[in-house]
Amino acid sequence: MICILMGVSGTGKSTIGKLLSQKLGWKFYDADDFHSEANISKMKQGIPLEDSDRLPWLQAIRAKIEAIVARQDNGIFACSALKQSYRELLQGNDPQVAWIYLKGSYQQLWQRMQDRPEHFMKPEMLQSQLDTLEIPQDALTVDIALNQAEIVDRIAKYLQDLADLKPGKLR
């Protein structure tokens, strides 16, 4: 199974992904690591990415998902996946991809982004992400106001429930 934690910057995708990885024993992948240097440079300058910038990034993540699925392994990805078309590309034809939407208020997100000045995603870009976000209809939605342990427990239970509906169990 593949779990993709999605949402705008500042929702805690990477933090929750690492904690979930520890809880489940699955490998964690941060989608930020798949960005080109050109994309990172744009974001550091406060320039929002365009779909043409994102396509190779999404394709690289999809290739990694395919490799994990081919090994019949599990993985957790932290990826903004703001648009439905991005999620469709990442999903491919794999029914074992589970979506988790981490949702927070503008104020929560802004504050979190202010608290991490070393990150290449600048707080001034938050509104552009919120404007781009197409709220998923096929995801577990988790409020980031919950504490990290509660968030991880909810996601783990959701994944277990999904696994109970599919052949084979979580490993």
Side-chain angles (χ1 to χ4, degrees), residues 75-135:
I76 300 165
F77 285 80
C79 179
S80 55
L82 298 176
K83 290 185 179 182
Q84 181 63 31
S85 61
Y86 305 165
R87 294 188 292 273
E88 288 169 1
L89 190 155
L90 293 171
Q91 177 89 37
N93 292 319
D94 295 321
Q96 63 271 42
V97 174
W99 293 94
I100 313 298
Y101 169 44
L102 298 176
K103 179 181 178 180
S105 71
Y106 182 89
Q107 292 76 16
Q108 288 171 307
L109 299 166
W110 177 261
Q111 186 57 55
R112 286 180 175 201
M113 292 176 79
Q114 290 290 327
D115 292 343
R116 54 178 207 182
E118 73 288 345
H119 197 275
F120 60 79
M121 179 62 82
K122 300 300 174 209
E124 295 74 25
M125 296 175 65
L126 175 58
Q127 190 59 55
S128 73
Q129 284 210 326
L130 291 168
D131 292 344
T132 302
L133 176 65
E134 296 172 1
I135 296 172

Side-chain angles (χ1 to χ4, degrees), residues 39-50:
N39 283 2
I40 292 171
S41 176
K42 273 184 136 177
M43 289 183 282
K44 281 182 176 178
Q45 295 173 55
I47 302 169
L49 298 180
E50 310 226 354

